[in-house]
Amino acid sequence: MNRLHISNIGRIGGITSEGVRMRNEVHISEWSTIEDAWIQVEGQYVVEWGSMAEEPILPPNTEIWDAHGAWVIPAFVDPHTHLVHSGTREQEWTARLKGATYQEIAASGGGIMQSVRNVRAADVSSLLDESRIRLETIRSMGVGSLEIKSGYGLDFDTESKMMRVTQALAAEYPEMNILSTCLALHATPPEYAGDADAYVKRVTQEWIPIWVGEGLIDFVDIFCEQGYFGLDHLDMLLDCANRLGLGVRVHVNQFSVMGAVKRAVDGGALSVDHLEEFEGPDLEALKKGATFPVLLPGCSFFLGIPYAPGRLLADAGLPVVVGSDYNPGSSPGLNPFLTLSLSCLKLGLMPEEALNAMTLNAAASLNISDRTGSVGIGKEASMLFISGLREWSTLPYHFGQVPPMRVMLKGRFI
Ligand code: NIG
Ligand code: FE
């Protein structure tokens, strides 16, 4: 197999030695770096690196690429997206600009239900075409791995259709790691109006086992919120997931606190996502368990709701993760560098902590940090070669900008 030797790298950040699977095993603020480096890639993997002061003599025929002083970070890992959807919801946003709230729009039949109507009406190929454009956008901005949720179908066929689109994207873009989360429990569909219990039973006892059998699901999720699903429903999903060996991610504490963080942690959930509303018992539960807190500052920014307490969680030694929550209703922006800036400006993370939260810790929350999320020997060669950096803080400092860079995913420049 051909080796690619990359020389003249200004600095490599996000390095891990063997065995480090999330930054809090060291400390979230530790962002290991080496300066004036070379790195070698063989096939999909990083195989060696070292200092330019001791550049090896290369066998003839080695392919060489001069990075001209570019700095390297791991490709981003986005652990929470609703990337597959049909159509957009600008009218709701302009209604919010005039004073309506997200909850009022949902109560009048818009919000998630608007996207459900759109996705039900879309055929597979148009859903795939729309989603592919977003995937290529996020990839061009340096995201190498991402999770994609269903949840705009809420019936068996449409949820299947969404997850098949995710599966098709994963097959079309093997240089990325694409993981599928079943969020059939995003809202109660009109067919089950007034009987959420029956819907949750149907999803957990009948549909999820079928989708698992078809290889469509990596994780399951539920929207725990007033007017959506409650603690008993969360328990039903946790039971189902434990039976089937699935990781659970939970939308929780977005608008209200109802004790679902503790319930999720006690039930062994892999992640609790959102946490814009947060109380003391939530922190105590997280400190005792092994569940990742996933913070979504884009959603707070776009909805004008509080930001999750990132600083508090990092100071408590928790493995803070940050994701985009990309979706057409509450976070319709794909730019990971803006998310990075918001993580510093609004969640209170330092640049190195935010970078860790969006790479290694995000990968750990998806159970893929043994292969991606950091620059390590034997890990996937998914890295961003960025020009013009003076400090790591240069990245979040230029908020809303994608820096000049080249994106390598699994050993190949895209
Ligand atoms: O994570 N909170 C629920 N789900 C999404 C929003 C979905 C939508 O508005 O379409 C979220 O913010
Ligand atoms: Fe979400």
Side-chain angles (χ1 to χ4, degrees):
M1 205 176 298
N2 258 0
R3 225 173 233 227
L4 172 65
H5 177 85
I6 304 171
S7 65
N8 292 320
I9 297 170
R11 199 178 283 186
I12 307 177
I15 293 170
T16 43
S17 48
E18 218 183 321
V20 174
R21 294 194 70 246
M22 61 192 188
R23 199 48 88 179
N24 293 65
E25 287 170 11
V26 186
H27 186 268
I28 189 176
S29 61
E30 178 163 337
W31 171 253
S32 317
T33 64
I34 56 170
E35 309 217 5
D36 298 321
W38 54 268
I39 194 166
Q40 290 187 347
V41 171
E42 199 171 272
Q44 302 189 9
Y45 303 103
V46 170
V47 285
E48 257 183 276
W49 68 52
S51 155
M52 285 303 288
E54 294 158 20
E55 206 175 14
I57 297 167
L58 301 171
N61 302 329
T62 309
E63 202 184 331
I64 300 174
W65 185 66
D66 188 333
H68 290 294
W71 289 22
V72 172
I73 64 170
F76 290 114
V77 176
D78 193 337
H80 185 136
T81 84
H82 307 250
L83 188 98
V84 171
H85 64 85
S86 177
T88 47
R89 306 207 320 246
E90 290 88 339
Q91 310 85 323
E92 291 181 6
W93 178 56
T94 46
R96 282 201 295 107
L97 291 177
K98 289 182 194 146
T101 65
Y102 181 83
Q103 291 97 318
E104 284 163 1
I105 289 165
S108 65
I112 292 169
M113 291 319 297
Q114 182 57 50
S115 289
V116 169
R117 288 188 288 277
N118 295 348
V119 172
R120 285 184 177 187
D123 58 40
V124 181
S125 72
S126 66
L127 196 56
L128 182 58
D129 288 347
E130 267 193 63
S131 306
R132 184 188 294 112
I133 292 169
R134 292 179 206 118
L135 190 75
E136 292 196 355
T137 305
I138 201 171
R139 186 184 64 152
S140 74
M141 294 192 287
V143 175
S145 303
L146 76 162
E147 178 261 20
I148 303 178
K149 300 179 193 293
S150 69
Y152 292 128
L154 313 184
D155 62 30
F156 184 83
D157 289 345
T158 317
E159 288 289 314
S160 304
K161 178 170 72 182
M162 289 188 76
M163 291 187 280
R164 282 186 208 294
V165 166
T166 297
Q167 190 179 49
L169 291 171
E172 240 183 271
Y173 295 87
E175 73 277 22
M176 304 180 82
N177 299 302
I178 299 178
L179 296 152
S180 167
T181 295
C182 173
L183 179 56
L185 299 179
H186 201 184
T188 300
E191 296 80 6
Y192 287 82
D195 199 357
D197 290 355
Y199 180 60
V200 177
K201 229 185 226 170
R202 175 59 64 85
V203 170
T204 53
Q205 293 181 3
E206 294 178 33
W207 297 356
I208 290 176
I210 295 175
W211 291 323
V212 168
E214 292 178 354
L216 287 172
I217 302 186
D218 297 302
F219 306 107
V220 290
D221 196 342
I222 180 170
F223 186 19
C224 288
E225 188 58 55
Q226 309 295 338
Y228 291 83
F229 297 105
L231 296 181
D232 292 351
H233 301 135
L234 172 59
D235 285 342
M236 287 160 79
L237 184 66
L238 286 164
D239 277 354
C240 156
N242 288 338
R243 262 198 321 275
L244 296 169
L246 293 167
V248 182
R249 326 185 74 80
V250 188
H251 279 75
V252 70
N253 288 31
Q254 184 176 7
F255 301 109
S256 60
V257 175
M258 49 194 238
V261 170
K262 180 167 175 11
R263 200 68 81 96
V265 173
D266 290 348
L270 201 46
S271 73
V272 282
D273 302 37
H274 277 285
L275 308 179
E276 291 87 348
E277 299 294 331
F278 199 77
E279 293 178 359
D282 299 323
L283 183 63
E284 290 316 306
L286 282 168
K287 281 194 333 205
K288 286 196 194 107
T291 302
F292 287 90
V294 177
L295 314 184
L296 308 164
C299 174
S300 299
F301 177 68
F302 193 70
L303 291 186
I305 62 174
Y307 285 84
R311 184 73 263 144
L312 180 82
L313 297 172
D315 285 343
L318 290 163
V320 175
V321 176
V322 170
S324 68
D325 195 20
Y326 170 81
N327 75 78
S330 69
S331 191
L334 288 167
N335 181 349
F337 291 96
L338 178 59
T339 307
L340 189 71
S341 299
L342 292 174
S343 301
C344 299
L345 288 164
K346 300 295 187 181
L347 301 180
L349 301 182
M350 293 307 289
E352 290 82 356
E353 293 174 320
L355 284 163
N356 277 317
M358 293 180 66
T359 55
L360 187 60
N361 284 2
S365 85
L366 294 173
N367 283 332
I368 55 173
S369 56
D370 52 346
R371 56 189 158 113
T372 199
S374 66
V375 181
I377 290 174
K379 289 207 175 183
E380 290 168 358
S382 295
M383 304 176 274
L384 315 182
F385 294 81
I386 307 175
S387 311
L389 295 191
R390 295 165 294 280
E391 303 287 341
W392 293 115
S393 60
T394 308
L395 283 171
Y397 166 79
H398 290 297
F399 70 91
Q401 273 176 227
V402 177
M405 65 175 182
R406 293 198 69 187
V407 177
M408 172 181 277
L409 297 180
K410 296 190 186 168
R412 297 185 51 180
F413 287 110
I414 63 160

